[in-house]
Amino acid sequence: MRIKPSLLHFTLRTRLTVSFITLIILVLTLLGIGYYYKSSEVILNNASETLLGLVKMSNQSMNAKFASVEQNAINMHLDEDLYDFFNTSDLQKRYFNYENDRRIARIIQKYFPSSEDLYSVNLVTKKYTFGGNPNFWIPKTEYSNSDIYSIGLSSTENTKWVPTYNLLEKFYASSPSPVAGDQYVFTATRLLNLSEIQSNLLHQMEEDAERPVLIVNFQESMIRKAFAKSLWVKGSYYEVFTPEGQIVSASRPRNVPPSVGSDWIDYALKKHSGTEYITIGGKKMVVCYDTIDVTGWLSAVFIPYDELLVTVPNMLNYTIYSTIAILLAAVVLASIISGRITLPFKRLLWGIKQSGEGNFSAKIEAVGTGEFSVIIHKFNQMNDKIQSLIVDNYETHVKEMEAELKALNFQFNPHFLYNTLNIINYLAIENNQTLISNMLVELSEMLEYTAKNPGEVDFAEDVKYLKNYAYIMDRRFEGKFQVEYDLDPALYQYTVPKFFLQPFIENALIHGLDEMEAGGAIKVSGRMEEGRRIFTIEDNGKGMDPETIRRVLETDGGIRSIGIENVNKRIKLLYGEPYGVRIESQKNAGTKITIILPVPSD
């Protein structure tokens, strides 16, 4: 009962700091317990990823060796010595010639040098087996009776891989149980369709010449050595499967059935590589698997989950020490954070004081996006509104007076000029100056049209203004151009934006036809089409390139467009984005302006 009243006398910062520390102690205690269990799981996952990396490295090593078999077989296709030897329909005479056998063996050695992984490499025909023959377990004759030879005959496009088998059992009688003389190998085989290049031309073997079958036998111990480093966890083992589920190699005894079924193998092959948790014989296992790209075989390492857990270091002491260190740091941070939280209150009090003294331009700096920041932002907005209202009330009447004066001045000048031109016109008539009189009449009508309010006008009025302008410019340029009009009478029943055609005629005269002495032509057309009014202004001037067109339609484009950009903007403001000005032009091929307006519904 005494603690609660005493806390009320503390500052807001002190109360926040105590609250933070209490919450931090509770949270860290729970987090420490959870961290101990979760960290163990993370380390297990990391160990699994490490094992998967070892499996991938083993596969990459074997993949490189297997890929070299394919490449060497391709290279053998173009071997001239092999081509000369086998390109005959009477190969039988060479079968039992020892020198020829040694000759072929040397050629094979060139492509497949001896290594501890290779057991034998041979070229096999129907009656004879060429090449080295360790321990004489591979028969020199009648090899063609084996399924290996049949598989090789069908391998015309690429190399086929035969999973592990016992050579002694394949070619000779062998006891069902393993014996010391057993030799396990897996085989790569393909048919060699030998060729020769002469004078840049590829010559194939004769049709009746027998093609030899390449047979490369790898020792199964090669796979065992590749996965030796992946089995560092007690009780772990590896298995290599074909897509059909046959075991190519395994670290377990040969009479033990596969650890997984064909369904799981299909699933793993589709994923290509990964780590899974599965149950085998009621025991939880971690499986790291990866695919050998050349052969399509799946390599998998199986690790007992419990044995992998034993390899995880003791996390209890680490969790206790780290929790204490984090707690101490959290106390310091709580003090700092509470100070940061109360800082906006101090700033807000300062701002209220400034407003009370009439200083509405004072601004409070807002940091972040929290509630205090919103309050300070709204307080600044309130001061801005008050300041704005004061300024508006003071300046509104002045601005209204200036606007009225400008409007009166705008109306006065055109009317004054219009009346003055009428006086000059009477003087021209009295002096028989008909051309001057006509030009003055046209100009005075233009000024009268100009003095009207802006916005939309009758189409007939805008066309009249356009023709007056064209008449005056025709007199100015003395027949340099002609203007042709083709306007649908239905257009005259609608209104249009004021001055929406004249800027394009002016632009054509000043820019398009400026270099022509005579023969300039401008055609103004208008028609109704699919609920739209379409106007076109075409000239035969010098035209524009695409960059100039872009700048003409853009504000501050760096080119004087004689009001074109202004017309385009006014049309879009009045009718919307689908309408406006389109420009089509090419250098020295004239310009076509298209103006699209809607047909008013009323």
Side-chain angles (χ1 to χ4, degrees), residues 501-565:
L501 290 175
Q502 183 270 338
F504 300 98
I505 304 295
E506 183 175 351
N507 199 67
L509 293 174
I510 294 177
H511 294 295
L513 307 177
D514 59 333
E515 298 178 0
M516 299 178 64
E517 296 295 332
I522 301 175
K523 182 177 180 180
V524 181
S525 306
R527 67 185 187 277
M528 308 281 286
E529 182 180 291
E530 298 179 355
R532 300 181 302 172
R533 293 174 288 169
I534 299 177
F535 302 88
T536 58
I537 300 97
E538 301 176 74
D539 66 63
N540 62 344
K542 61 184 179 182
M544 296 179 281
D545 56 35
E547 177 61 21
T548 304
I549 294 174
R550 183 188 65 79
R551 289 188 290 155
V552 164
L553 289 174
E554 289 183 358
T555 307
D556 299 328
I559 186 169
R560 190 179 179 186
S561 58
I562 317 295
I564 292 178
E565 186 270 338

Side-chain angles (χ1 to χ4, degrees), residues 584-600:
E584 302 174 40
S585 183
Q586 294 182 1
K587 295 293 290 183
N588 302 318
T591 300
K592 178 180 179 180
I593 306 292
T594 302
I595 305 170
I596 303 175
L597 304 180
V599 175

Side-chain angles (χ1 to χ4, degrees), residues 396-415:
T396 297
H397 294 297
V398 176
K399 290 182 179 179
E400 289 178 353
M401 292 178 62
E402 288 178 354
E404 291 178 1
L405 289 173
K406 287 181 180 179
L408 290 172
N409 185 57
F410 177 76
Q411 293 179 0
F412 171 76
N413 289 337
H415 284 296

Side-chain angles (χ1 to χ4, degrees), residues 314-364:
N314 188 355
M315 297 297 297
L316 182 59
N317 293 335
Y318 175 78
T319 302
I320 293 174
Y321 295 144
S322 60
T323 301
I324 293 174
I326 294 173
L327 180 61
L328 294 176
V331 171
V332 177
L333 288 175
S335 178
I336 297 173
I337 292 172
S338 61
R340 296 283 294 178
I341 292 175
T342 56
L343 181 61
F345 277 115
K346 296 180 181 179
R347 292 179 176 177
L348 186 59
L349 289 174
W350 174 84
I352 294 172
K353 182 179 179 182
Q354 293 294 317
S355 299
E357 295 174 356
N359 183 14
F360 296 103
S361 60
K363 293 291 185 296
I364 305 174

Side-chain angles (χ1 to χ4, degrees), residues 122-141:
N122 302 96
L123 290 179
V124 181
T125 62
K126 292 179 181 179
K127 298 296 183 180
Y128 196 76
T129 301
F130 294 92
N133 205 347
N135 300 319
F136 301 98
W137 286 352
I138 298 176
K140 278 292 184 180
T141 60

Side-chain angles (χ1 to χ4, degrees), residues 288-321:
C288 302
Y289 58 90
D290 187 59
T291 304
I292 304 175
D293 295 327
V294 173
T295 61
W297 296 341
L298 180 71
S299 302
V301 173
F302 300 84
I303 309 103
Y305 182 84
D306 294 337
E307 295 296 336
L308 185 60
L309 190 61
V310 172
T311 64
V312 177
N314 188 355
M315 297 297 297
L316 182 59
N317 293 335
Y318 175 78
T319 302
I320 293 174
Y321 295 144

